[in-house]
Amino acid sequence: KSLLFASNRYGNNDLFLMSAEGGAPRRMTFHSGSEAPASFSPDGKWILFYGTAYGMDLYRMPVTGGEPVRLTWDEFEREYYG
């Protein structure tokens, strides 16, 4: 079991993952915006979260880490930037 949480220890809300039994948290996101709230997918393979780096959009990334994939595009951003 793992715990997923957001912390602003680096200036904005980044996501961290750690064992439910304790230990050091692992930083999962590194964007300039904030990432929260977040949740595990039902199968436990993915982390889904809202991110504000490019507007308020939904992202998905593997629980094992890696680059998040943007799933939605903020309507304001689309209108403002075309």
Side-chain angles (χ1 to χ4, degrees):
K1 300 262 182 192
S2 297
L3 300 173
L4 178 63
F5 64 95
S7 171
N8 65 355
R9 65 183 71 185
Y10 296 108
N12 58 1
N13 283 325
D14 290 306
L15 298 180
F16 292 81
L17 189 66
M18 68 181 285
S19 169
E21 296 175 6
R26 180 170 57 129
R27 188 175 178 188
M28 302 298 290
T29 58
F30 299 86
H31 289 109
S32 59
S34 291
E35 291 87 32
S39 181
F40 293 107
S41 63
D43 64 7
K45 295 180 181 179
W46 302 96
I47 295 171
L48 299 153
F49 63 91
Y50 280 105
T52 62
Y54 308 103
M56 188 62 155
D57 294 303
L58 182 64
Y59 292 82
R60 178 184 76 179
M61 69 183 298
V63 170
T64 55
E67 190 64 29
V69 174
R70 191 174 174 187
L71 301 175
T72 63
W73 281 259
D74 181 89
E75 197 62 38
F76 171 77
E77 178 188 1
R78 215 174 305 151
E79 289 176 16
Y80 187 78
Y81 295 107

